[in-house]
Amino acid sequence: MTSAASTRFVPPPYPYDRLDRFKPMAAAFDGGLVDLSIGTPCDPPPAAVLAALATSDSERGYPPSIGTDALRRAITGWLARRFDIDLSTDQVAACIGSKEFVATLPQWMRLRAPERDTVLHPAVAYPTYEMGAILAGCRAVAVPPTAAGSLDLDAIDPADAERALLLWTNSPSNPTGALDDLGAAAAWGRANGVPVFSDECYVEFTWAGQGRTILEHGSHGVVAVHSLSKRSNLAGLRVGFYAGDAEIVDYLREVRKHVGMLVPGPAQAAAVVALADDTHVVEQRQRYRRRLEQMATTLSRWSGIEIPLPAGGFYLWFDAGDGWVFAERLATDGGALVSPGDFYGSGGSQNIRVAVVQPDDRLTLVAERLGVA
Ligand SMILES: Cc1ncc(COP(=O)(O)O)c(C=O)c1O
């Protein structure tokens, strides 16, 4: 019999904390550590967004959990302008950044379908898909990628499909940058009676063709998840949203009200302004594109490894033989911190993820240290 003690949940080390031992090596450089590990934006959000944050006069009362009318109208307005998708404001709601939504979703979906216990997620992926399943006491089952990097839906065991509470897709993918076939994911979900959640937080940084949403394939059975963190350099504000299937969104809105999931009022007001503006997104896209090219050139000159540009997102992702060995060498020789690929699943252990989230002059500094500027 399993003892209670052996089943007690012990949180695993937070992935980025595992990089702490490299920090002193990198920090010893003149100019200090250049952190290219966590994908945290460094560029400024629009001034009008900060003005809205300071002047909304919404501090006193509790904000609506689902989002203010103004925020939900800004969300549907953005979906219409950006993707030509027509949703009602009842089909969208706010979340406190998308991480909490990803991490808590399996609990709510399990309460809705207690006979099911499985979360399907991309095999090499943002770790919170798996962690959300673990936190809910569910099974996390990894779906392998096809050669093109999309979900290999044919590889899903029918027994797992029957037990599935939901399927996650993430396009553009963190960390691989691959674009998924969202139409195929939506069709698979409908055919198998499994809701599909599509994490689209990098959609504004799509390099191969147009940015795409799963909602282009209809909203029945699918929910798109978005974030202002990357689009508008507002990771510190904590505003995201989810949109799609009327019944699922309504269920999540109601349950999340009971939990007290509230985006602060001033943050909601600022998000309204950010969603209405596209100019800053165009500027940010240009910055990331330039930095991806600069960093790919620097690292391939230094290492001799051919480094592909991603189809989307702001990460370089490449096979370095051994992710940890490469990360240590780069900290020692270039004073830069990057993520070993096993942070994103054992299938990524040979890889390295480089987040181009530092100003251009900091990336040039790394190239100078490596002797390839
Ligand atoms: C794929 C993916 N989803 C969700 C998030 C969470 O972002 P936020 O909570 O800031 O919206 C991240 C953050 O890096 C991410 O990479």
Side-chain angles (χ1 to χ4, degrees), residues 14 39-41 53 71 94-102 126 226-230 233-241 256 261-268 270-271:
Y14 197 66
T40 187
L53 185 62
L71 178 56
C95 52
I96 314 167
S98 54
K99 187 179 176 89
E100 66 82 1
F101 182 89
V102 173
Y126 179 56
H226 285 268
S227 174
L228 279 263
S229 296
K230 322 284 180 184
N233 298 327
L234 290 170
L237 214 55
R238 312 308 304 141
V239 191
F241 60 89
R256 289 169 54 86
M261 295 298 202
L262 310 174
V263 177
Q268 296 201 31

PDB file of all heavy atoms in Angstrom, residues 14 39-41 53 71 94-102 126 226-230 233-241 256 261-268 270-271:
ATOM      1  N   TYR A  14      11.865  25.172  -9.340  1.00  0.00           N
ATOM      2  CA  TYR A  14      11.371  26.000 -10.440  1.00  0.00           C
ATOM      3  C   TYR A  14      12.467  26.005 -11.516  1.00  0.00           C
ATOM      4  O   TYR A  14      13.650  26.199 -11.197  1.00  0.00           O
ATOM      5  CB  TYR A  14      11.085  27.415  -9.926  1.00  0.00           C
ATOM      6  CG  TYR A  14      10.215  28.192 -10.863  1.00  0.00           C
ATOM      7  CD1 TYR A  14       8.895  27.815 -11.084  1.00  0.00           C
ATOM      8  CD2 TYR A  14      10.711  29.298 -11.545  1.00  0.00           C
ATOM      9  CE1 TYR A  14       8.093  28.512 -11.961  1.00  0.00           C
ATOM     10  CE2 TYR A  14       9.908  30.008 -12.424  1.00  0.00           C
ATOM     11  CZ  TYR A  14       8.602  29.607 -12.629  1.00  0.00           C
ATOM     12  OH  TYR A  14       7.811  30.295 -13.500  1.00  0.00           O
ATOM     13  N   GLY A  39      11.698  34.504 -20.716  1.00  0.00           N
ATOM     14  CA  GLY A  39      11.178  35.349 -21.801  1.00  0.00           C
ATOM     15  C   GLY A  39      10.450  36.570 -21.282  1.00  0.00           C
ATOM     16  O   GLY A  39       9.270  36.773 -21.573  1.00  0.00           O
ATOM     17  N   THR A  40      11.157  37.390 -20.498  1.00  0.00           N
ATOM     18  CA  THR A  40      10.495  38.552 -19.901  1.00  0.00           C
ATOM     19  C   THR A  40      10.819  39.823 -20.689  1.00  0.00           C
ATOM     20  O   THR A  40      11.999  40.123 -20.915  1.00  0.00           O
ATOM     21  CB  THR A  40      10.899  38.677 -18.402  1.00  0.00           C
ATOM     22  OG1 THR A  40      10.129  39.694 -17.786  1.00  0.00           O
ATOM     23  CG2 THR A  40      12.368  38.976 -18.207  1.00  0.00           C
ATOM     24  N   PRO A  41       9.806  40.533 -21.178  1.00  0.00           N
ATOM     25  CA  PRO A  41      10.083  41.692 -22.036  1.00  0.00           C
ATOM     26  C   PRO A  41      10.899  42.774 -21.328  1.00  0.00           C
ATOM     27  O   PRO A  41      10.810  42.941 -20.116  1.00  0.00           O
ATOM     28  CB  PRO A  41       8.679  42.217 -22.372  1.00  0.00           C
ATOM     29  CG  PRO A  41       7.778  41.046 -22.187  1.00  0.00           C
ATOM     30  CD  PRO A  41       8.362  40.272 -21.051  1.00  0.00           C
ATOM     31  N   LEU A  53      -3.264  53.478 -16.695  1.00  0.00           N
ATOM     32  CA  LEU A  53      -3.039  52.728 -15.451  1.00  0.00           C
ATOM     33  C   LEU A  53      -3.113  53.674 -14.241  1.00  0.00           C
ATOM     34  O   LEU A  53      -3.649  53.321 -13.191  1.00  0.00           O
ATOM     35  CB  LEU A  53      -1.653  52.083 -15.537  1.00  0.00           C
ATOM     36  CG  LEU A  53      -1.179  51.150 -14.446  1.00  0.00           C
ATOM     37  CD1 LEU A  53      -2.089  49.940 -14.362  1.00  0.00           C
ATOM     38  CD2 LEU A  53       0.254  50.694 -14.749  1.00  0.00           C
ATOM     39  N   LEU A  71     -13.214  46.265 -21.233  1.00  0.00           N
ATOM     40  CA  LEU A  71     -12.143  45.324 -21.578  1.00  0.00           C
ATOM     41  C   LEU A  71     -12.669  44.238 -22.516  1.00  0.00           C
ATOM     42  O   LEU A  71     -12.020  43.893 -23.511  1.00  0.00           O
ATOM     43  CB  LEU A  71     -11.537  44.696 -20.310  1.00  0.00           C
ATOM     44  CG  LEU A  71     -10.446  43.656 -20.567  1.00  0.00           C
ATOM     45  CD1 LEU A  71      -9.301  44.233 -21.411  1.00  0.00           C
ATOM     46  CD2 LEU A  71      -9.890  43.107 -19.252  1.00  0.00           C
ATOM     47  N   ALA A  94     -11.463  37.835 -18.852  1.00  0.00           N
ATOM     48  CA  ALA A  94     -10.090  38.183 -18.468  1.00  0.00           C
ATOM     49  C   ALA A  94      -9.463  37.084 -17.622  1.00  0.00           C
ATOM     50  O   ALA A  94     -10.159  36.336 -16.927  1.00  0.00           O
ATOM     51  CB  ALA A  94     -10.114  39.481 -17.669  1.00  0.00           C
ATOM     52  N   CYS A  95      -8.131  37.000 -17.662  1.00  0.00           N
ATOM     53  CA  CYS A  95      -7.391  36.187 -16.687  1.00  0.00           C
ATOM     54  C   CYS A  95      -6.184  37.002 -16.224  1.00  0.00           C
ATOM     55  O   CYS A  95      -5.820  38.000 -16.853  1.00  0.00           O
ATOM     56  CB  CYS A  95      -6.987  34.826 -17.257  1.00  0.00           C
ATOM     57  SG  CYS A  95      -6.112  34.849 -18.819  1.00  0.00           S
ATOM     58  N   ILE A  96      -5.595  36.554 -15.119  1.00  0.00           N
ATOM     59  CA  ILE A  96      -4.546  37.360 -14.468  1.00  0.00           C
ATOM     60  C   ILE A  96      -3.206  36.995 -15.097  1.00  0.00           C
ATOM     61  O   ILE A  96      -2.330  36.391 -14.482  1.00  0.00           O
ATOM     62  CB  ILE A  96      -4.561  37.113 -12.936  1.00  0.00           C
ATOM     63  CG1 ILE A  96      -5.998  37.176 -12.409  1.00  0.00           C
ATOM     64  CG2 ILE A  96      -3.689  38.142 -12.217  1.00  0.00           C
ATOM     65  CD1 ILE A  96      -6.162  36.648 -11.001  1.00  0.00           C
ATOM     66  N   GLY A  97      -3.058  37.346 -16.374  1.00  0.00           N
ATOM     67  CA  GLY A  97      -1.970  36.790 -17.175  1.00  0.00           C
ATOM     68  C   GLY A  97      -2.380  35.377 -17.534  1.00  0.00           C
ATOM     69  O   GLY A  97      -3.272  34.787 -16.907  1.00  0.00           O
ATOM     70  N   SER A  98      -1.739  34.807 -18.558  1.00  0.00           N
ATOM     71  CA  SER A  98      -2.223  33.493 -18.986  1.00  0.00           C
ATOM     72  C   SER A  98      -1.638  32.341 -18.167  1.00  0.00           C
ATOM     73  O   SER A  98      -2.181  31.244 -18.182  1.00  0.00           O
ATOM     74  CB  SER A  98      -1.992  33.285 -20.482  1.00  0.00           C
ATOM     75  OG  SER A  98      -0.655  33.491 -20.807  1.00  0.00           O
ATOM     76  N   LYS A  99      -0.561  32.573 -17.411  1.00  0.00           N
ATOM     77  CA  LYS A  99       0.034  31.446 -16.665  1.00  0.00           C
ATOM     78  C   LYS A  99      -0.935  30.874 -15.634  1.00  0.00           C
ATOM     79  O   LYS A  99      -1.089  29.664 -15.527  1.00  0.00           O
ATOM     80  CB  LYS A  99       1.338  31.856 -15.981  1.00  0.00           C
ATOM     81  CG  LYS A  99       2.065  30.670 -15.344  1.00  0.00           C
ATOM     82  CD  LYS A  99       3.369  31.104 -14.696  1.00  0.00           C
ATOM     83  CE  LYS A  99       4.051  29.954 -13.981  1.00  0.00           C
ATOM     84  NZ  LYS A  99       4.962  29.203 -14.845  1.00  0.00           N
ATOM     85  N   GLU A 100      -1.586  31.753 -14.894  1.00  0.00           N
ATOM     86  CA  GLU A 100      -2.515  31.214 -13.885  1.00  0.00           C
ATOM     87  C   GLU A 100      -3.667  30.468 -14.559  1.00  0.00           C
ATOM     88  O   GLU A 100      -4.156  29.470 -14.020  1.00  0.00           O
ATOM     89  CB  GLU A 100      -3.001  32.298 -12.908  1.00  0.00           C
ATOM     90  CG  GLU A 100      -3.881  33.418 -13.496  1.00  0.00           C
ATOM     91  CD  GLU A 100      -5.353  33.069 -13.654  1.00  0.00           C
ATOM     92  OE1 GLU A 100      -5.765  31.959 -13.310  1.00  0.00           O
ATOM     93  OE2 GLU A 100      -6.094  33.934 -14.174  1.00  0.00           O
ATOM     94  N   PHE A 101      -4.076  30.937 -15.731  1.00  0.00           N
ATOM     95  CA  PHE A 101      -5.163  30.261 -16.444  1.00  0.00           C
ATOM     96  C   PHE A 101      -4.720  28.850 -16.835  1.00  0.00           C
ATOM     97  O   PHE A 101      -5.436  27.869 -16.633  1.00  0.00           O
ATOM     98  CB  PHE A 101      -5.553  31.075 -17.690  1.00  0.00           C
ATOM     99  CG  PHE A 101      -6.697  30.476 -18.438  1.00  0.00           C
ATOM    100  CD1 PHE A 101      -8.005  30.816 -18.110  1.00  0.00           C
ATOM    101  CD2 PHE A 101      -6.490  29.556 -19.460  1.00  0.00           C
ATOM    102  CE1 PHE A 101      -9.077  30.240 -18.785  1.00  0.00           C
ATOM    103  CE2 PHE A 101      -7.549  28.972 -20.133  1.00  0.00           C
ATOM    104  CZ  PHE A 101      -8.843  29.322 -19.797  1.00  0.00           C
ATOM    105  N   VAL A 102      -3.496  28.755 -17.382  1.00  0.00           N
ATOM    106  CA  VAL A 102      -2.960  27.462 -17.810  1.00  0.00           C
ATOM    107  C   VAL A 102      -2.810  26.527 -16.609  1.00  0.00           C
ATOM    108  O   VAL A 102      -3.173  25.340 -16.654  1.00  0.00           O
ATOM    109  CB  VAL A 102      -1.591  27.654 -18.510  1.00  0.00           C
ATOM    110  CG1 VAL A 102      -0.944  26.302 -18.814  1.00  0.00           C
ATOM    111  CG2 VAL A 102      -1.735  28.468 -19.788  1.00  0.00           C
ATOM    112  N   TYR A 126       6.067  24.650 -23.033  1.00  0.00           N
ATOM    113  CA  TYR A 126       5.960  25.469 -21.831  1.00  0.00           C
ATOM    114  C   TYR A 126       5.564  24.518 -20.676  1.00  0.00           C
ATOM    115  O   TYR A 126       4.548  23.815 -20.773  1.00  0.00           O
ATOM    116  CB  TYR A 126       4.864  26.492 -22.120  1.00  0.00           C
ATOM    117  CG  TYR A 126       4.523  27.467 -21.045  1.00  0.00           C
ATOM    118  CD1 TYR A 126       5.493  28.294 -20.481  1.00  0.00           C
ATOM    119  CD2 TYR A 126       3.198  27.612 -20.614  1.00  0.00           C
ATOM    120  CE1 TYR A 126       5.150  29.225 -19.508  1.00  0.00           C
ATOM    121  CE2 TYR A 126       2.848  28.547 -19.653  1.00  0.00           C
ATOM    122  CZ  TYR A 126       3.835  29.345 -19.107  1.00  0.00           C
ATOM    123  OH  TYR A 126       3.493  30.267 -18.159  1.00  0.00           O
ATOM    124  N   HIS A 226      -4.902  34.256 -24.726  1.00  0.00           N
ATOM    125  CA  HIS A 226      -3.993  35.337 -25.142  1.00  0.00           C
ATOM    126  C   HIS A 226      -3.467  36.092 -23.933  1.00  0.00           C
ATOM    127  O   HIS A 226      -3.987  35.955 -22.817  1.00  0.00           O
ATOM    128  CB  HIS A 226      -4.732  36.303 -26.078  1.00  0.00           C
ATOM    129  CG  HIS A 226      -4.915  35.732 -27.452  1.00  0.00           C
ATOM    130  ND1 HIS A 226      -4.021  35.952 -28.459  1.00  0.00           N
ATOM    131  CD2 HIS A 226      -5.862  34.914 -27.946  1.00  0.00           C
ATOM    132  CE1 HIS A 226      -4.414  35.293 -29.537  1.00  0.00           C
ATOM    133  NE2 HIS A 226      -5.545  34.656 -29.262  1.00  0.00           N
ATOM    134  N   SER A 227      -2.461  36.915 -24.199  1.00  0.00           N
ATOM    135  CA  SER A 227      -1.816  37.634 -23.106  1.00  0.00           C
ATOM    136  C   SER A 227      -1.321  38.984 -23.590  1.00  0.00           C
ATOM    137  O   SER A 227      -0.872  39.109 -24.731  1.00  0.00           O
ATOM    138  CB  SER A 227      -0.637  36.809 -22.605  1.00  0.00           C
ATOM    139  OG  SER A 227       0.089  37.527 -21.656  1.00  0.00           O
ATOM    140  N   LEU A 228      -1.377  39.963 -22.722  1.00  0.00           N
ATOM    141  CA  LEU A 228      -0.810  41.279 -23.042  1.00  0.00           C
ATOM    142  C   LEU A 228       0.677  41.319 -22.699  1.00  0.00           C
ATOM    143  O   LEU A 228       1.379  42.263 -23.031  1.00  0.00           O
ATOM    144  CB  LEU A 228      -1.547  42.372 -22.248  1.00  0.00           C
ATOM    145  CG  LEU A 228      -2.892  42.895 -22.753  1.00  0.00           C
ATOM    146  CD1 LEU A 228      -2.696  44.170 -23.547  1.00  0.00           C
ATOM    147  CD2 LEU A 228      -3.644  41.911 -23.592  1.00  0.00           C
ATOM    148  N   SER A 229       1.152  40.271 -22.007  1.00  0.00           N
ATOM    149  CA  SER A 229       2.545  40.268 -21.528  1.00  0.00           C
ATOM    150  C   SER A 229       3.538  40.446 -22.657  1.00  0.00           C
ATOM    151  O   SER A 229       4.454  41.263 -22.569  1.00  0.00           O
ATOM    152  CB  SER A 229       2.852  38.951 -20.826  1.00  0.00           C
ATOM    153  OG  SER A 229       2.058  38.805 -19.682  1.00  0.00           O
ATOM    154  N   LYS A 230       3.382  39.662 -23.709  1.00  0.00           N
ATOM    155  CA  LYS A 230       4.357  39.675 -24.803  1.00  0.00           C
ATOM    156  C   LYS A 230       3.948  40.724 -25.835  1.00  0.00           C
ATOM    157  O   LYS A 230       4.774  41.467 -26.330  1.00  0.00           O
ATOM    158  CB  LYS A 230       4.435  38.310 -25.481  1.00  0.00           C
ATOM    159  CG  LYS A 230       4.333  37.116 -24.547  1.00  0.00           C
ATOM    160  CD  LYS A 230       5.582  36.852 -23.758  1.00  0.00           C
ATOM    161  CE  LYS A 230       5.387  35.633 -22.863  1.00  0.00           C
ATOM    162  NZ  LYS A 230       6.523  35.359 -22.005  1.00  0.00           N
ATOM    163  N   ASN A 233       4.404  44.264 -24.000  1.00  0.00           N
ATOM    164  CA  ASN A 233       5.451  44.435 -22.974  1.00  0.00           C
ATOM    165  C   ASN A 233       4.826  44.760 -21.620  1.00  0.00           C
ATOM    166  O   ASN A 233       5.262  45.685 -20.924  1.00  0.00           O
ATOM    167  CB  ASN A 233       6.443  45.544 -23.377  1.00  0.00           C
ATOM    168  CG  ASN A 233       7.160  45.201 -24.668  1.00  0.00           C
ATOM    169  OD1 ASN A 233       7.426  44.028 -24.936  1.00  0.00           O
ATOM    170  ND2 ASN A 233       7.460  46.199 -25.468  1.00  0.00           N
ATOM    171  N   LEU A 234       3.824  43.999 -21.230  1.00  0.00           N
ATOM    172  CA  LEU A 234       3.100  44.267 -19.983  1.00  0.00           C
ATOM    173  C   LEU A 234       3.069  43.029 -19.083  1.00  0.00           C
ATOM    174  O   LEU A 234       2.071  42.777 -18.407  1.00  0.00           O
ATOM    175  CB  LEU A 234       1.667  44.720 -20.305  1.00  0.00           C
ATOM    176  CG  LEU A 234       1.542  46.109 -20.933  1.00  0.00           C
ATOM    177  CD1 LEU A 234       0.123  46.355 -21.428  1.00  0.00           C
ATOM    178  CD2 LEU A 234       1.957  47.197 -19.957  1.00  0.00           C
ATOM    179  N   ALA A 235       4.176  42.285 -19.046  1.00  0.00           N
ATOM    180  CA  ALA A 235       4.183  41.073 -18.204  1.00  0.00           C
ATOM    181  C   ALA A 235       3.982  41.432 -16.730  1.00  0.00           C
ATOM    182  O   ALA A 235       3.436  40.640 -15.964  1.00  0.00           O
ATOM    183  CB  ALA A 235       5.480  40.294 -18.411  1.00  0.00           C
ATOM    184  N   GLY A 236       4.396  42.638 -16.348  1.00  0.00           N
ATOM    185  CA  GLY A 236       4.249  43.046 -14.947  1.00  0.00           C
ATOM    186  C   GLY A 236       2.830  43.433 -14.575  1.00  0.00           C
ATOM    187  O   GLY A 236       2.494  43.549 -13.384  1.00  0.00           O
ATOM    188  N   LEU A 237       1.989  43.645 -15.577  1.00  0.00           N
ATOM    189  CA  LEU A 237       0.616  44.087 -15.301  1.00  0.00           C
ATOM    190  C   LEU A 237      -0.317  42.924 -14.995  1.00  0.00           C
ATOM    191  O   LEU A 237      -1.279  43.072 -14.246  1.00  0.00           O
ATOM    192  CB  LEU A 237       0.106  44.833 -16.535  1.00  0.00           C
ATOM    193  CG  LEU A 237      -0.843  45.993 -16.333  1.00  0.00           C
ATOM    194  CD1 LEU A 237      -0.249  47.013 -15.385  1.00  0.00           C
ATOM    195  CD2 LEU A 237      -1.151  46.640 -17.679  1.00  0.00           C
ATOM    196  N   ARG A 238      -0.022  41.757 -15.576  1.00  0.00           N
ATOM    197  CA  ARG A 238      -0.800  40.529 -15.407  1.00  0.00           C
ATOM    198  C   ARG A 238      -2.209  40.649 -16.006  1.00  0.00           C
ATOM    199  O   ARG A 238      -3.218  40.659 -15.290  1.00  0.00           O
ATOM    200  CB  ARG A 238      -0.899  40.088 -13.931  1.00  0.00           C
ATOM    201  CG  ARG A 238       0.388  40.066 -13.147  1.00  0.00           C
ATOM    202  CD  ARG A 238       1.481  39.286 -13.818  1.00  0.00           C
ATOM    203  NE  ARG A 238       1.119  37.918 -14.118  1.00  0.00           N
ATOM    204  CZ  ARG A 238       1.490  37.292 -15.252  1.00  0.00           C
ATOM    205  NH1 ARG A 238       2.207  37.909 -16.185  1.00  0.00           N
ATOM    206  NH2 ARG A 238       1.126  36.060 -15.446  1.00  0.00           N
ATOM    207  N   VAL A 239      -2.275  40.748 -17.315  1.00  0.00           N
ATOM    208  CA  VAL A 239      -3.572  40.716 -17.996  1.00  0.00           C
ATOM    209  C   VAL A 239      -3.493  39.761 -19.182  1.00  0.00           C
ATOM    210  O   VAL A 239      -2.600  39.876 -20.029  1.00  0.00           O
ATOM    211  CB  VAL A 239      -4.015  42.092 -18.539  1.00  0.00           C
ATOM    212  CG1 VAL A 239      -5.488  42.016 -18.991  1.00  0.00           C
ATOM    213  CG2 VAL A 239      -3.836  43.193 -17.523  1.00  0.00           C
ATOM    214  N   GLY A 240      -4.431  38.840 -19.193  1.00  0.00           N
ATOM    215  CA  GLY A 240      -4.598  37.971 -20.345  1.00  0.00           C
ATOM    216  C   GLY A 240      -6.086  37.798 -20.580  1.00  0.00           C
ATOM    217  O   GLY A 240      -6.914  38.407 -19.881  1.00  0.00           O
ATOM    218  N   PHE A 241      -6.427  36.972 -21.555  1.00  0.00           N
ATOM    219  CA  PHE A 241      -7.854  36.687 -21.751  1.00  0.00           C
ATOM    220  C   PHE A 241      -8.026  35.368 -22.476  1.00  0.00           C
ATOM    221  O   PHE A 241      -7.081  34.843 -23.072  1.00  0.00           O
ATOM    222  CB  PHE A 241      -8.570  37.819 -22.494  1.00  0.00           C
ATOM    223  CG  PHE A 241      -8.053  38.131 -23.868  1.00  0.00           C
ATOM    224  CD1 PHE A 241      -8.549  37.487 -24.993  1.00  0.00           C
ATOM    225  CD2 PHE A 241      -7.076  39.093 -24.046  1.00  0.00           C
ATOM    226  CE1 PHE A 241      -8.086  37.778 -26.257  1.00  0.00           C
ATOM    227  CE2 PHE A 241      -6.594  39.396 -25.320  1.00  0.00           C
ATOM    228  CZ  PHE A 241      -7.101  38.735 -26.426  1.00  0.00           C
ATOM    229  N   ARG A 256     -14.401  30.747 -12.031  1.00  0.00           N
ATOM    230  CA  ARG A 256     -13.290  31.631 -11.687  1.00  0.00           C
ATOM    231  C   ARG A 256     -13.766  32.818 -10.832  1.00  0.00           C
ATOM    232  O   ARG A 256     -12.996  33.354 -10.040  1.00  0.00           O
ATOM    233  CB  ARG A 256     -12.567  32.078 -12.963  1.00  0.00           C
ATOM    234  CG  ARG A 256     -11.763  30.927 -13.614  1.00  0.00           C
ATOM    235  CD  ARG A 256     -11.268  31.305 -15.008  1.00  0.00           C
ATOM    236  NE  ARG A 256     -10.534  32.540 -14.964  1.00  0.00           N
ATOM    237  CZ  ARG A 256      -9.220  32.639 -14.682  1.00  0.00           C
ATOM    238  NH1 ARG A 256      -8.492  31.560 -14.489  1.00  0.00           N
ATOM    239  NH2 ARG A 256      -8.640  33.811 -14.637  1.00  0.00           N
ATOM    240  N   MET A 261     -10.608  35.189  -9.007  1.00  0.00           N
ATOM    241  CA  MET A 261      -9.603  35.522 -10.019  1.00  0.00           C
ATOM    242  C   MET A 261      -9.938  36.900 -10.573  1.00  0.00           C
ATOM    243  O   MET A 261     -10.842  37.035 -11.409  1.00  0.00           O
ATOM    244  CB  MET A 261      -9.628  34.477 -11.138  1.00  0.00           C
ATOM    245  CG  MET A 261      -9.219  33.098 -10.688  1.00  0.00           C
ATOM    246  SD  MET A 261      -7.508  33.112 -10.097  1.00  0.00           S
ATOM    247  CE  MET A 261      -7.089  31.397 -10.285  1.00  0.00           C
ATOM    248  N   LEU A 262      -9.253  37.933 -10.089  1.00  0.00           N
ATOM    249  CA  LEU A 262      -9.597  39.306 -10.455  1.00  0.00           C
ATOM    250  C   LEU A 262      -8.371  40.028 -11.023  1.00  0.00           C
ATOM    251  O   LEU A 262      -7.359  40.160 -10.339  1.00  0.00           O
ATOM    252  CB  LEU A 262     -10.053  40.091  -9.219  1.00  0.00           C
ATOM    253  CG  LEU A 262     -11.133  39.486  -8.314  1.00  0.00           C
ATOM    254  CD1 LEU A 262     -11.322  40.369  -7.084  1.00  0.00           C
ATOM    255  CD2 LEU A 262     -12.444  39.351  -9.059  1.00  0.00           C
ATOM    256  N   VAL A 263      -8.483  40.509 -12.251  1.00  0.00           N
ATOM    257  CA  VAL A 263      -7.439  41.403 -12.764  1.00  0.00           C
ATOM    258  C   VAL A 263      -7.700  42.781 -12.149  1.00  0.00           C
ATOM    259  O   VAL A 263      -8.817  43.298 -12.251  1.00  0.00           O
ATOM    260  CB  VAL A 263      -7.497  41.494 -14.308  1.00  0.00           C
ATOM    261  CG1 VAL A 263      -6.465  42.490 -14.817  1.00  0.00           C
ATOM    262  CG2 VAL A 263      -7.294  40.126 -14.944  1.00  0.00           C
ATOM    263  N   PRO A 264      -6.707  43.391 -11.489  1.00  0.00           N
ATOM    264  CA  PRO A 264      -6.950  44.693 -10.862  1.00  0.00           C
ATOM    265  C   PRO A 264      -7.536  45.716 -11.845  1.00  0.00           C
ATOM    266  O   PRO A 264      -7.174  45.729 -13.029  1.00  0.00           O
ATOM    267  CB  PRO A 264      -5.545  45.116 -10.395  1.00  0.00           C
ATOM    268  CG  PRO A 264      -4.829  43.817 -10.183  1.00  0.00           C
ATOM    269  CD  PRO A 264      -5.355  42.889 -11.247  1.00  0.00           C
ATOM    270  N   GLY A 265      -8.449  46.550 -11.328  1.00  0.00           N
ATOM    271  CA  GLY A 265      -9.140  47.526 -12.178  1.00  0.00           C
ATOM    272  C   GLY A 265      -8.205  48.395 -13.015  1.00  0.00           C
ATOM    273  O   GLY A 265      -8.408  48.529 -14.230  1.00  0.00           O
ATOM    274  N   PRO A 266      -7.166  48.983 -12.406  1.00  0.00           N
ATOM    275  CA  PRO A 266      -6.271  49.827 -13.212  1.00  0.00           C
ATOM    276  C   PRO A 266      -5.588  49.033 -14.337  1.00  0.00           C
ATOM    277  O   PRO A 266      -5.366  49.547 -15.434  1.00  0.00           O
ATOM    278  CB  PRO A 266      -5.237  50.326 -12.180  1.00  0.00           C
ATOM    279  CG  PRO A 266      -5.976  50.279 -10.870  1.00  0.00           C
ATOM    280  CD  PRO A 266      -6.864  49.077 -10.957  1.00  0.00           C
ATOM    281  N   ALA A 267      -5.281  47.772 -14.072  1.00  0.00           N
ATOM    282  CA  ALA A 267      -4.658  46.935 -15.112  1.00  0.00           C
ATOM    283  C   ALA A 267      -5.659  46.679 -16.236  1.00  0.00           C
ATOM    284  O   ALA A 267      -5.294  46.660 -17.421  1.00  0.00           O
ATOM    285  CB  ALA A 267      -4.176  45.617 -14.510  1.00  0.00           C
ATOM    286  N   GLN A 268      -6.923  46.492 -15.891  1.00  0.00           N
ATOM    287  CA  GLN A 268      -7.949  46.292 -16.930  1.00  0.00           C
ATOM    288  C   GLN A 268      -8.064  47.549 -17.797  1.00  0.00           C
ATOM    289  O   GLN A 268      -8.166  47.464 -19.023  1.00  0.00           O
ATOM    290  CB  GLN A 268      -9.296  45.962 -16.295  1.00  0.00           C
ATOM    291  CG  GLN A 268      -9.287  44.646 -15.521  1.00  0.00           C
ATOM    292  CD  GLN A 268     -10.679  44.055 -15.336  1.00  0.00           C
ATOM    293  OE1 GLN A 268     -11.562  44.233 -16.175  1.00  0.00           O
ATOM    294  NE2 GLN A 268     -10.874  43.314 -14.250  1.00  0.00           N
ATOM    295  N   ALA A 270      -5.785  49.799 -18.353  1.00  0.00           N
ATOM    296  CA  ALA A 270      -4.584  49.922 -19.184  1.00  0.00           C
ATOM    297  C   ALA A 270      -4.649  48.949 -20.363  1.00  0.00           C
ATOM    298  O   ALA A 270      -4.243  49.278 -21.485  1.00  0.00           O
ATOM    299  CB  ALA A 270      -3.342  49.646 -18.333  1.00  0.00           C
ATOM    300  N   ALA A 271      -5.186  47.754 -20.120  1.00  0.00           N
ATOM    301  CA  ALA A 271      -5.281  46.747 -21.188  1.00  0.00           C
ATOM    302  C   ALA A 271      -6.214  47.206 -22.308  1.00  0.00           C
ATOM    303  O   ALA A 271      -5.988  46.906 -23.483  1.00  0.00           O
ATOM    304  CB  ALA A 271      -5.756  45.420 -20.615  1.00  0.00           C
TER     305      ALA A 271
END
